[in-house]
Amino acid sequence: MDQLERPPEIIWDDRRAWFEDQEAQHAAAGAAAPSEQACALMIDLQAVFCAGAWAAAVILAYAIAEAQSSKRAARPQGVGEGDWKWLRALRNRLVHENPGKAAFTVEDQWMRRALWEERARRAVAIAFAALYPAPQGGEAGQKADQ
């Protein structure tokens, strides 16, 4: 079962390089340094992302971004309105199950891994935008309706 095994080293390394590239890009453009706790949580986010735990990456990315906002569930500086609404809605669907209409299924683990990876990548980009807000903000993610 691919989901329970460590990805091949080349895949892990590709994911790690992408993650670290995102961090470097956002840190170079951002105005503030993240907190100690945010840095510690980013290490966990990188681990689950590299492992391919896509739902966990989305949930953790939201927690990191939310921690950067001044009020609970408020949009953090540096994150565009569309990105924040998308991430918050997806996180809510993942952690508050709707009986009979699961947001994430066992079938998704087998058949929709590429879609969930794309969602996780967008969530990671949003978390970095919250950690390193650019002076003029903007949209961090790639697609609006995922």
Side-chain angles (χ1 to χ4, degrees):
M1 179 179 233
D2 291 342
Q3 299 80 348
L4 297 178
E5 299 295 327
R6 186 181 193 276
E9 192 168 342
I10 192 164
I11 292 174
W12 182 282
D13 290 345
D14 285 347
R15 290 174 182 166
R16 181 178 177 181
W18 179 87
F19 191 98
E20 291 172 355
D21 184 56
Q22 288 293 305
E23 182 172 26
Q25 287 179 28
H26 284 90
S35 69
E36 179 74 21
Q37 182 168 324
C39 289
L41 289 171
M42 289 304 289
I43 293 168
D44 274 4
L45 178 56
Q46 184 173 11
V48 299
F49 179 83
C50 290
W54 306 131
V58 169
I59 293 165
L60 194 51
Y62 177 85
I64 291 165
E66 183 184 45
Q68 296 304 114
S69 68
S70 57
K71 297 179 182 174
R72 186 172 169 260
R75 179 171 57 95
Q77 180 185 355
V79 177
E81 186 70 30
D83 281 336
W84 185 242
K85 285 181 180 179
W86 173 85
L87 182 57
R88 186 169 184 220
L90 183 57
R91 176 263 183 200
N92 285 344
R93 288 194 318 268
L94 288 169
V95 300
H96 304 294
E97 185 173 1
N98 182 356
K101 191 178 178 186
F104 190 59
T105 65
V106 173
E107 184 177 347
D108 289 337
Q109 288 285 17
W110 290 98
M111 306 300 293
R112 295 190 240 339
R113 294 207 46 84
L115 171 65
W116 280 95
E117 180 176 359
E118 190 175 325
R119 290 173 174 170
R121 286 178 185 269
R122 182 174 179 194
V124 166
I126 293 168
F128 278 125
L131 288 176
Y132 302 104
Q136 296 161 340
E139 297 287 312
Q142 292 84 17
K143 296 186 180 180
D145 187 31
Q146 294 181 352

